[in-house]
Amino acid sequence: MVAERPETAAGFPQSATESDGSAVIRVLSYNIRSMRDDRAALARVIRACAPDVALIQEAPRFFRWRKAAAALARGSELVYATGGATACGPMILTSLRAHVERAEDVLLPKTPGLHRRGFATAVLRIGGARLGVLSAHLSLSAAERYEQAGLLLERLALLDAPHAVAGGDINDRPKGRSFRRLAGSLTDAWQAAPWGGEYTSTPHDPHQRIDGVFTTSGVEVLACGVPIDLPGVTEADLLAASDHLPVLAALRVPTQIAP
């Protein structure tokens, strides 16, 4: 029997734990440009999205970065899980609904002359579901980006969770080799259940989708897109918060079956 769709806000599902233990969760992926823009607007956008998991890219990673990460978590009504400078930018924040089973920051091989990249990863328990999560910001170099897409797929498998979700700034469009490498093995959440806006770059001239949320098999995508019509998210805040638009996905994650 197919579970009923949870209550929605502006057509977007609310977080919920269902009678069988499965979890409807909100996952936000957001490149925040090192919080160099309007921090109050950024916090308002994240709060309005009410994510259970926020997969952040370009988190502060230099002087007093931990203080900045803590301030963002506090202003967004979330808690810090892992990442930031220790992952070269990707970071994971969660709501109190999520129990962090374990977390790990992964540094990727560095190409001379290019920025070091990394993944922030964690395994979470939400309701009766167990979920691996990964935040990534792939390279501007096409060759390095393609290799990093492969490493992302490997790292998701190494999380050893029954289900997983990755979100990030892919720096590639859906027809690009790296984006297609991810979408060939994972479900592109926007493609599966489009909602809201499609394009994530740039806020002042949205014309390309280079950010995304991807899920492993078994995770049901209920809705995914730029939250342009979500209550509490204003155009002014989206323009002021960052040079990317966020991607918000609602997912139904099955309960873990005991071995």
Side-chain angles (χ1 to χ4, degrees):
M1 183 177 70
V2 178
E4 293 182 359
R5 186 183 182 89
E7 292 183 6
T8 62
F12 198 85
Q14 302 277 31
S15 299
T17 300
E18 302 189 327
S19 58
D20 63 354
S22 61
V24 175
I25 67 171
R26 288 184 172 193
V27 175
L28 180 73
S29 181
Y30 205 173
N31 182 322
I32 63 171
R33 206 169 83 102
S34 298
M35 296 172 64
R36 294 199 298 267
D37 300 293
D38 187 328
R39 296 188 176 192
L42 176 64
R44 285 194 296 269
V45 170
I46 297 175
R47 281 201 310 271
C49 289
D52 298 290
V53 183
L55 304 175
I56 302 297
Q57 301 86 47
E58 289 197 32
R61 56 191 182 95
F62 296 112
F63 184 66
R64 293 183 177 175
W65 70 269
R66 294 183 187 277
K67 182 177 180 180
L72 177 63
R74 184 169 57 251
S76 304
E77 299 179 355
L78 300 172
V79 295
Y80 170 85
T82 195
T86 48
C88 293
M91 183 171 70
I92 298 173
L93 305 177
T94 72
S95 71
L96 293 176
R97 185 181 178 217
H99 168 73
V100 181
E101 182 179 297
R102 67 176 188 272
E104 181 181 7
D105 299 326
V106 179
L107 294 180
L108 302 181
K110 186 180 185 306
T111 300
L114 298 178
H115 291 298
R116 187 76 179 263
R117 304 279 176 168
F119 300 144
T121 74
V123 176
L124 310 176
R125 291 184 181 271
I126 303 176
R130 185 165 174 266
L131 180 72
V133 297
L134 183 153
S135 178
H137 186 183
L138 302 190
S139 177
L140 290 168
S141 161
E144 185 180 51
R145 181 168 61 242
Y146 185 76
E147 293 302 316
Q148 290 172 353
L151 293 172
L152 187 158
L153 296 174
E154 291 178 10
R155 182 55 53 173
L156 275 189
L158 289 172
L159 290 177
D160 194 28
H163 306 286
V165 57
D169 179 350
I170 309 305
N171 268 322
D172 203 14
R173 298 177 181 180
K175 292 184 179 180
R177 279 207 320 151
S178 299
F179 203 111
R180 286 188 289 111
R181 186 170 193 178
L182 296 177
S185 297
L186 305 171
T187 297
D188 173 2
W190 160 262
Q191 198 67 40
W195 167 91
E198 177 180 5
Y199 300 132
T200 62
S201 177
T202 59
H204 291 274
D205 178 27
H207 64 280
Q208 58 183 350
R209 181 162 71 99
I210 61 173
D211 305 80
V213 172
F214 301 85
T215 68
T216 57
S217 63
V219 176
E220 182 185 359
V221 181
L222 303 176
C224 179
V226 176
I228 52 177
D229 295 320
L230 197 71
V233 176
T234 68
E235 181 181 8
D237 280 348
L238 289 173
L239 292 174
S242 178
D243 64 344
H244 282 243
L245 293 170
V247 179
L248 182 64
L251 312 173
R252 181 181 280 116
V253 185
T255 185
Q256 182 177 19
I257 299 174

